[in-house]
Amino acid sequence: MSGETLPREQPSLQDMDLLSRLTQFFEALGQHLRAGHGWFIFNARGQRGARITAFILGRLADYQLLYTYCFVPWRDFALNAYMVEVELQSMAAQRQVLQGRVRQEYDIAIRVSRDNLAKMMVSDLLIVAGVLPQHRHELVFLDQAVERRYQHRLSTILITPAQPHELAFEIERVAPGERYWERLFERMYERSLIAL
């Protein structure tokens, strides 16, 4: 076995096409950001998702002095959603009675959450990797972020491990009868390139 090399895994035709399209996108990044163009990338789980995310972040490193961007793994996005939509709102009514260390921790949590939220909302480009809402507050937060960025023509890249029908099913399961999936897909479809 010594001296033998293992064959390298060849990327799929879909991945080669996606990386080619992403390369073209980043070669004209300024133009795309001015127009508010983004990406909605489906079926990016495991190594494929990591490869796509690493490629995007690698290309953005070339532009770090020209444009602002915010990369948020879904875990961090979901945690921020919980802090903003659930925890801090439930404590807001009690803020006046909080004292000492508890009050300081609450104020720090508010400041950190607001700073994270502001960065997500005003960066030239927001990248959220691993999108898969499991709770209503995550979905509400995602909906608000995408809507606000859409209204201000700011570019968004959403990367999800799910196929479109799987993500639609999960969103419907989390918020039955509400139009979160339709609104999310409409907003992203109008100004984004789609990849499966």
Side-chain angles (χ1 to χ4, degrees), residues 13-33:
L13 182 59
Q14 288 77 17
D15 282 356
M16 289 189 303
D17 177 62
L18 174 57
L19 294 180
S20 173
R21 291 168 61 204
L22 281 168
T23 297
Q24 291 172 2
F25 178 84
F26 283 105
E27 286 173 356
L29 184 61
Q31 179 183 347
H32 288 294
L33 293 180

Side-chain angles (χ1 to χ4, degrees), residues 79-141:
L79 179 61
N80 208 46
Y82 177 77
M83 289 301 295
V84 169
E85 297 294 326
V86 178
E87 194 65 28
L88 295 178
Q89 287 193 17
S90 70
M91 291 182 71
Q94 302 170 7
R95 185 178 188 277
Q96 298 304 324
V97 296
L98 298 177
Q99 296 179 357
R101 184 176 178 90
V102 174
R103 174 74 177 257
Q104 286 178 324
E105 290 173 358
Y106 175 80
D107 290 342
I108 290 169
I110 286 178
R111 190 169 53 251
V112 168
S113 295
R114 284 187 181 151
D115 289 349
N116 288 338
L117 180 60
K119 189 173 180 187
M120 282 190 265
M121 296 305 167
V122 301
S123 294
D124 295 320
L125 178 61
L126 171 66
I127 308 104
V128 184
V131 175
L132 197 60
Q134 299 294 306
H135 303 282
R136 192 172 192 288
H137 61 268
E138 297 168 358
L139 192 51
V140 168
F141 198 64

